[in-house]
Structures are given as structure tokens and as C-alpha cells.
Amino acid sequence: MVTILDKTGGMSRRQLLKTGAASAVLMITGTAVICPDQAWGLEATALKPDTLATLIKMARDIYPHDQLADRFYAAAVKGQDTMAAKDEKHKALIEDGIADLDSKAGADGYRGLGWEDDRVAILRDIETTPFFQAVRGDLVVSLYNQKEIWPIFGYEGESYSKGGYIERGFDDITWL
């Protein structure tokens, strides 16, 4: 469920708590995307907050990891906003790409599709577009380069500072 607030923040504390208790996924304010139930927020500088919310959903569909919180995907797509602030062509590419994605998804837009398979089918249709390639190409670095998620995947980080792989498990494989 996405709640859109007006520019004055037109939601009372009681409404916010009630919405949070009803498991709000993302709230979109004038310039930010907020996830109250997981206590994180992402401020938009160049892209629309709706665009960032859709990019977060798209990132989760491209690189699905149930064990990762949305805040990691939000941090990963923040780079798109930063690039859009520096380059009008990139901003147009992302905004137009999200508009196209929403139009392909129907009346409720991409985020409104309840089934992951439906969203993935749309992504497969656009996977050769410059928009998809720009988002996917940036995500592969910006998502997996977050040190906080490395332990979730069992990655210990670079090995040089710890003596290299030869002395640290290079030949620990037992099944070969």
C-alpha cells in the first residue's frame, strides 16, 4: 500500500500510526519516500518521489532477495537520483522509462501489480531498452557494493588485508 501525502504533510499522527499498523510499504511525500514500519526514508533531489518508489520495486524485482530490507534497495537506487540531478538526459531517460513501465502495467501502475510474475513479465519486455540497461547496470554495483549486506550473503570482503585466500580457505572445499 502506498500513501501519498500532500505537500503540507496532511496526515495526523493518528493516521500515520494507523497506516503504519496496516503495514504501509512506502509513503510518498512532496520530496521523499518514507517507510515508517522499517524506519528509513529517501529524499528525492531530481527525480519524483513516485519514480524513486517505482525504482525501488523494480530493483527488488530485478535482484530479488527476500532477506534484504527495502532500505538497501533504496540506497541502491539513490544513485539514479544523483545522476539525474547532474544530467538532464539521464533524468529524462529515467522519468520516461518509469512512465512507460507504468503504462505497460495498466491502471494501477507498476507498483500496483500484486504479482511479482506480472511485474517480471513487463521487465522482460523492456530488458533491451536503454532505460532498463541503465538501471540494471547501476544496480549490480550499487546494491551489492553495500558492506552491510555482505554478511547476509556470506561474503567476508576483500582478502588482501587478511592475508589473502591461500591461507584463508582457498582449499577448504570438501566436495571436490
Side-chain angles (χ1 to χ4, degrees), residues 66-112:
D66 292 338
Q67 67 271 36
L68 290 184
D70 281 342
R71 70 183 177 97
F72 296 113
Y73 290 98
V77 301
K78 179 62 178 165
Q80 294 296 333
D81 188 47
T82 304
M83 286 187 277
K86 296 176 184 174
D87 182 10
E88 283 296 319
K89 289 172 82 175
H90 186 77
K91 179 179 178 180
L93 175 74
I94 299 301
E95 292 288 358
D96 294 345
I98 292 296
D100 181 53
L101 196 63
D102 283 339
S103 71
K104 290 180 185 310
D108 292 333
Y110 184 79
R111 290 190 327 261

Side-chain angles (χ1 to χ4, degrees), residues 57-66 68 73 116 123 132 135-141 143-144 153:
K57 184 67 129 182
M58 182 180 170
R60 184 169 280 286
D61 289 338
I62 294 173
Y63 295 109
H65 298 290
D66 292 338
L68 290 184
Y73 290 98
E116 182 181 356
L123 292 178
F132 182 87
V135 172
R136 186 205 53 80
D138 181 62
L139 275 176
V140 74
V141 175
L143 179 63
Y144 297 115
F153 296 121

Side-chain angles (χ1 to χ4, degrees), residues 37-59:
D37 59 334
Q38 296 179 6
W40 63 265
L42 176 66
E43 185 160 359
T45 56
L47 298 173
K48 298 175 196 165
D50 280 327
T51 300
L52 285 175
T54 303
L55 281 172
I56 292 168
K57 184 67 129 182
M58 182 180 170

Side-chain angles (χ1 to χ4, degrees), residues 137-155:
D138 181 62
L139 275 176
V140 74
V141 175
S142 59
L143 179 63
Y144 297 115
N145 204 26
Q146 298 177 51
K147 291 183 179 181
E148 294 128 346
I149 69 170
W150 291 353
I152 296 170
F153 296 121
Y155 179 60

